[in-house]
Amino acid sequence: MRKNCKLILVEGLCGTGKSTLAEKLNDYLVQQGIPSRFYDEGAIGHPTSLNWHAFFREEEYKELLMRYPDIADEIRSWAINNGINYLIPYREFKGNSELVELYAELKSRELCWTDSPVATLEEFTFSIQHHWSHFAEHASNSDEVYVLEAVFFQHQIHDLLGHYQAVDHLIEEHIQGIADQIIALNPIVMYLTHPNVREQQVWISSIRSRPNFATEQNIRFMENRKRIELGLLEMLPFPTYTFENENLDWEAVFNKMVEAVQTSE
């Protein structure tokens, strides 16, 4: 395996096998005696994903504490201060009947998966990059390799395009900003792809019973995402590998991923 590599990022459009193959790669590393930790995109406790995190500016955060004086200390214990703004993870207390009102307020201020972003583009990119910086600092002091899927490209670009209508150069600047934070981890990016986005989205729509995946709007969105992501692979300051999976041959792709891990220098 590449010397001192502590981060493997698995990316690609929906239906390319990211979750399945990333988890399988993690299992392979463990079997080889390499301490490894896998997180899929929706995992609780994910070290880099900021889904289910509410965004507050300084004054808004102070006002929140004033509105909930009885649990202000608890809110402070949850809050993440990035030096400028505050992020409050709220996913794990969803079922607490005493916090229904607070949960609804925090959900309405979601940083990432939202139809009504409360953060500006600059606040969004700063919060994300700062969080990756914090992760990199922690990972650099760990003996583990982290295998992460769908959080380096997919979530960033989905939000930047969908929420902020960001143009290419702003997306490139954001991804480069994250890359700068993690370069000391000697990361590897593995990009899984299918030559025909339309076929891919129609197929994944059918097996997941998600008809919205096969709409013309979503297909165009995914085609644009793929265009952007392939361009980003060429600008990254660390090794990237692209694996075509036209025949949905997961084992063949996995073997190529293992080979890449073994031969990366």
Side-chain angles (χ1 to χ4, degrees), residues 245-262:
N245 192 15
E246 181 175 5
N247 299 318
L248 305 181
D249 189 340
W250 313 114
E251 193 63 29
V253 174
F254 173 70
N255 290 336
K256 292 178 182 178
M257 294 172 70
V258 168
E259 183 179 355
V261 168
Q262 291 174 334

Side-chain angles (χ1 to χ4, degrees), residues 12-258:
L13 300 186
C14 298
T16 52
K18 297 187 302 297
S19 299
T20 300
L21 293 172
E23 185 171 16
K24 190 171 182 179
L25 181 61
N26 178 75
D27 293 342
Y28 166 81
L29 295 177
V30 172
Q31 292 167 6
Q32 300 303 306
I34 300 171
S36 182
R37 187 184 295 265
F38 165 69
Y39 289 91
D40 64 21
E41 59 177 308
I44 293 176
H46 198 294
T48 66
S49 175
L50 284 176
N51 297 326
W52 293 284
H53 282 65
F55 173 85
F56 288 85
R57 299 175 185 90
E58 179 81 32
E59 289 304 315
E60 294 167 340
Y61 174 70
K62 291 179 180 178
E63 292 171 2
L64 178 76
L65 297 178
M66 292 177 62
R67 287 198 301 278
Y68 296 92
D70 294 340
I71 56 172
D73 287 342
E74 287 185 77
I75 295 174
R76 290 189 187 96
S77 71
W78 303 330
I80 302 168
N81 183 354
N82 63 19
I84 300 178
N85 303 306
Y86 289 83
L87 296 172
I88 302 178
Y90 61 90
R91 180 183 187 183
E92 294 188 44
F93 64 82
K94 179 178 180 179
N96 190 323
S97 59
E98 298 177 359
L99 301 176
V100 171
E101 183 179 351
L102 175 60
Y103 178 83
E105 180 171 355
L106 296 182
K107 185 176 182 181
S108 73
R109 300 189 64 88
E110 167 71 38
L111 177 68
C112 298
W113 284 350
T114 175
D115 294 328
S116 303
V118 294
T120 65
L121 173 61
E122 293 77 12
E123 290 168 335
F124 173 85
T125 57
F126 177 85
S127 297
I128 298 289
Q129 291 175 27
H130 183 274
H131 201 64
W132 277 89
S133 176
H134 181 74
F135 160 72
E137 181 179 358
H138 169 78
S140 66
N141 295 313
S142 170
D143 293 330
E144 294 179 309
V145 174
Y146 286 81
V147 181
L148 309 180
E149 64 98 11
V151 290
F152 181 51
F153 279 178
Q154 177 167 294
H155 281 199
Q156 316 299 322
I157 297 171
H158 185 278
D159 287 347
L160 288 171
L161 288 175
H163 301 161
Y164 301 102
Q165 295 75 52
V167 295
D168 287 10
H169 78 89
L170 292 177
I171 295 173
E172 292 172 4
E173 289 175 6
H174 177 56
I175 297 299
Q176 185 61 59
I178 298 174
D180 291 343
Q181 306 302 325
I182 62 176
I183 192 168
L185 300 178
N186 296 300
I188 301 171
V189 177
M190 298 190 176
Y191 191 79
L192 310 179
T193 184
H194 186 284
N196 190 309
V197 172
R198 180 177 297 276
E199 289 182 6
Q200 177 191 51
Q201 294 305 299
V202 169
W203 172 75
I204 197 64
S205 170
S206 65
I207 67 169
R208 292 187 183 176
S209 299
R210 298 287 297 273
N212 61 302
F213 282 14
T215 63
E216 287 300 316
Q217 180 180 7
N218 188 65
I219 290 170
R220 288 194 300 272
F221 182 88
M222 290 297 180
E223 288 174 338
N224 189 40
R225 240 192 67 190
K226 181 178 179 180
R227 176 189 64 81
I228 294 170
E229 291 172 359
L230 290 176
L232 291 171
L233 291 173
E234 297 181 3
M235 57 162 266
L236 292 174
F238 35 74
T240 66
Y241 300 86
T242 301
F243 303 114
E244 288 276 3
N245 192 15
E246 181 175 5
N247 299 318
L248 305 181
D249 189 340
W250 313 114
E251 193 63 29
V253 174
F254 173 70
N255 290 336
K256 292 178 182 178
M257 294 172 70
V258 168

